[in-house]
Amino acid sequence: MRVLMAASEIDPFAKTGGLADVASSLPKALKKEGVDISLVMPFYKKFVLKSGLSFQKTDLEFEIILNGKKYSGLFYISFVNDVPVYLMENDEFFDRENLYGTPTGDYPDNGLRFGFFCYGILELAKLLGDIEIIHLNDWQTALVPLIKMRKYPHLAQIKTLLSIHNLAYQGIFEKEILEKLNLGYEDFHMEGVEFYGKVNFLKAGIVYSDYINTVSPTYAEEIQTAEFGYGLDGILRRRKDVLFGILNGIDYEVWDPQKDNELYFNYSKNNIIEGKKINKEKILKDCGLEGLEKPLFGIVSRLAEQKGFDLFPSIIETIARENLNLIVLGAGDKIYQDMFTDISKRYANVYVKIGFDPVLAKRIYASSDFFLMPSKYEPCGLGQLISMRYGTIPVVRATGGLKDTVKDIEKGGYGIVFEKYEPRDLLRAIERAIDFYRNTELFEKSVKYVFSLDFSWKSSAKEYLNLYKRMLS
């Protein structure tokens, strides 16, 4: 089975979010299942060079005329986890300071940039030969099925699967983008790519892909509703027969408390309680916090409304007064950065670092007693999976992948789950966690239990393999 997976970012070459993690770790698991898989992404020179990974030029190249101008593409090859990664070079489109835009907004030519990328994906499939499935990810690749149908009829035998990691990001452009990409207007209608008078790349993928999946079973259901559908719920309901939810996993070789060099102290199932206590003691000292006996709550997140941080302003003072310690690591919207910075200056039990620090992130996962993820919506979520891998109990809202992976202690589970998206419900969940922590025997039993859970890619890779087989049958 030959699969070409396309993504706009792949760790460690370039990363802005969870897509890059999935695009790196899922192929590794699929290869172990016997899939002959290759990857393709844009060659963002400034980012790829920083990765430190080696790459070399291939003789694979193509030319295409878009918007009345000839553009060339050249593929370099590198490897991640022994999986070949083809880097699509075009410096005009991809050699920039950022992947998608500047702090002031998206690059105005993103439609042309990623339209070119979509053409290049199909050119690579043609050059490689014998590709059976092109596995697409998010809007940056979602125009491939339409372009294949209209411009590459000789590749009709190749099946397409579109994975939606976050439906909120759709790639919406003025209708003239169709002309610029050498596409006609025959698909510019409600059942095609048209979306409120504009062209929607993600919608094109939903309409024209052979199969669609999202990154958790619950999210696959949620996006068919008006609340979570972002205007695409109708077309998703019409395609529900080929819409599946497959839970993301994490790479257990990367996230491993027994071997993780970033931790203060490594631990396994045999010494998890002692190991987490040592890590907790060290991080409290480094962050200037006191009270080893208090429950430690950790947050590692993008500070944005989607992640639930609009729940905090009215209750942050009350949380800070609780008998707990709180460590926050993240960056995002200024209103939430300022809120956490301000509270940390006024309360000695709150430590905040604005920015991204991968070492501190791992130490928070390993040292905390509870990990907070009160998301408004969460297609899958990786934070709760990582926290459980390190024996940290998640406190989450029942949405998307959080609902699929965390079961409440009051229902025979192992985490703290709240339902309503209300500040008081989040506060109550934190208070429940504090009460739970006081029951030392039950708390330690749950720590050991979440540590024993398996959210690696092993089972999810098998589900993808079965979906691939279904596509080809």
Side-chain angles (χ1 to χ4, degrees):
M1 185 183 296
R2 294 201 70 196
V3 176
L4 177 61
M5 182 181 289
S8 60
E9 54 185 77
I10 301 170
D11 187 53
F13 297 110
K15 176 180 175 178
T16 64
L19 167 61
D21 293 308
V22 174
S24 175
S25 54
L26 173 56
K28 176 182 176 181
L30 287 169
K31 185 176 180 181
K32 289 180 179 178
E33 294 295 327
V35 177
D36 182 357
I37 189 164
S38 301
L39 303 175
V40 59
M41 66 169 277
F43 191 175
Y44 311 106
K45 278 204 169 67
K46 289 180 174 58
F47 295 86
V48 173
L49 293 174
K50 286 179 184 177
S51 73
L53 293 183
S54 61
F55 54 88
Q56 61 187 43
K57 187 184 292 187
T58 73
D59 59 359
L60 303 173
E61 53 188 323
F62 67 95
E63 286 187 342
I64 190 163
I65 296 176
L66 299 177
N67 199 25
K69 179 180 175 181
K70 183 185 289 185
Y71 292 96
S72 62
L74 172 66
F75 292 98
Y76 289 72
I77 189 170
S78 185
F79 290 86
V80 173
N81 301 317
D82 293 324
V83 175
V85 180
Y86 291 93
L87 304 165
M88 186 188 302
E89 182 189 54
N90 179 287
D91 288 348
E92 181 177 341
F93 286 143
F94 303 130
D95 188 16
R96 302 189 183 186
E97 292 298 321
N98 300 288
L99 302 192
Y100 310 119
T102 68
T104 60
D106 292 345
Y107 289 126
D109 63 344
N110 272 353
L112 195 60
R113 294 175 74 218
F114 290 103
F116 172 82
F117 181 44
C118 290
Y119 270 100
I121 292 165
L122 289 162
E123 289 288 338
L124 180 61
K126 183 174 69 174
L127 290 164
L128 292 176
D130 300 325
I131 296 295
E132 296 174 272
I133 293 171
I134 300 178
H135 186 160
L136 308 164
N137 291 275
D138 283 347
W139 74 262
Q140 294 90 345
T141 64
L143 215 58
V144 165
L146 174 60
I147 296 173
K148 179 170 76 77
M149 180 177 68
R150 297 299 181 197
K151 298 296 181 180
Y152 294 81
H154 53 291
L155 298 182
Q157 78 283 359
I158 298 178
K159 301 296 183 182
T160 51
L161 169 65
L162 173 66
S163 289
I164 301 171
H165 298 263
N166 191 333
L167 191 70
Y169 301 98
Q170 299 179 4
I172 299 172
F173 305 96
E174 298 298 332
K175 66 179 182 180
E176 288 75 20
I177 191 64
L178 292 173
E179 290 183 48
K180 292 179 180 180
L181 296 176
N182 293 339
L183 295 169
Y185 285 98
E186 64 266 36
D187 297 292
F188 189 72
H189 52 81
M190 283 184 62
E191 301 301 316
V193 302
E194 190 270 336
F195 188 76
Y196 295 97
K198 297 186 178 183
V199 171
N200 187 318
F201 278 31
L202 188 65
K203 184 183 179 187
I206 293 169
V207 171
Y208 298 108
S209 290
D210 294 297
Y211 280 75
I212 310 155
N213 84 283
T214 66
V215 291
S216 72
T218 294
Y219 193 59
E221 296 295 324
E222 288 178 341
I223 62 174
Q224 296 179 58
T225 67
E227 181 181 1
F228 295 101
Y230 286 90
L232 297 176
D233 49 294
I235 197 72
L236 285 161
R237 285 193 298 272
R238 286 196 286 278
R239 299 225 66 202
K240 65 182 179 181
D241 290 345
V242 293
L243 171 61
F244 298 87
I246 301 177
L247 196 66
N248 277 343
I250 57 173
D251 189 334
Y252 270 35
E253 293 177 11
V254 173
W255 304 99
D256 185 357
Q258 295 185 70
K259 301 176 182 177
D260 193 335
N261 294 327
E262 312 293 3
L263 303 191
Y264 299 105
F265 182 83
N266 293 112
Y267 54 90
S268 67
K269 65 178 181 180
N270 298 320
N271 66 337
I272 182 173
I273 302 302
E274 175 197 357
K276 285 187 66 66
K277 185 177 179 181
I278 293 171
N279 278 282
K280 180 179 176 181
E281 192 172 19
K282 297 281 190 182
I283 202 171
L284 290 177
K285 183 178 180 182
D286 281 358
C287 295
L289 302 176
E290 296 180 353
L292 186 62
E293 75 286 351
K294 297 179 185 177
L296 174 60
F297 288 77
I299 292 175
V300 179
S301 179
R302 179 166 51 89
L303 303 180
E305 184 176 320
Q306 183 221 317
K307 298 296 183 179
F309 291 104
D310 59 330
L311 295 177
F312 280 85
S314 64
I315 59 171
I316 187 65
E317 199 95 23
T318 306
I319 293 171
R321 291 194 190 115
E322 295 278 1
N323 186 35
L324 56 74
N325 282 309
L326 173 64
I327 299 178
V328 180
L329 172 64
D333 296 344
K334 187 175 185 297
I335 184 174
Y336 306 124
Q337 292 186 170
D338 291 347
M339 174 190 69
F340 281 119
T341 301
D342 174 68
I343 206 74
S344 69
K345 290 177 181 177
R346 294 189 291 112
Y347 287 87
N349 61 328
V350 180
Y351 174 85
V352 174
K353 182 172 183 179
I354 301 299
F356 180 68
D357 183 334
V359 175
L360 179 59
K362 284 192 171 184
R363 290 175 176 177
I364 292 172
Y365 286 123
S367 306
S368 299
D369 299 301
F370 298 99
F371 188 78
L372 276 175
M373 279 187 79
S375 302
K376 177 174 285 186
Y377 71 92
E378 195 66 64
C380 177
L382 298 178
Q384 84 281 17
L385 305 183
I386 298 169
S387 71
M388 290 188 282
R389 172 66 169 149
Y390 286 81
T392 297
I393 294 172
V395 180
V396 305
R397 194 176 87 83
T399 184
L402 300 178
K403 185 176 182 179
D404 291 327
T405 56
V406 183
K407 308 302 177 188
D408 193 84
I409 53 170
E410 293 182 356
K411 298 179 181 178
Y414 43 83
I416 307 291
V417 183
F418 68 101
E419 297 280 341
K420 292 182 180 179
Y421 193 71
E422 299 284 347
R424 62 185 179 186
D425 290 85
L426 169 57
L427 181 60
R428 176 62 188 136
I430 292 171
E431 291 170 343
R432 284 177 57 210
I434 295 170
D435 290 341
F436 181 46
Y437 180 78
R438 294 189 183 113
N439 187 334
T440 305
E441 183 179 351
L442 186 59
F443 174 76
E444 291 184 354
K445 183 179 178 182
S446 291
V447 167
K448 292 175 181 176
Y449 184 74
V450 298
F451 189 74
S452 72
L453 294 171
D454 186 355
F455 290 106
S456 68
W457 275 110
K458 192 173 182 180
S459 59
S460 295
K462 283 185 168 62
E463 288 191 57
Y464 273 106
L465 182 60
N466 289 334
L467 181 53
Y468 289 167
K469 289 176 179 176
R470 178 173 181 157
M471 291 171 66
L472 296 176
S473 64

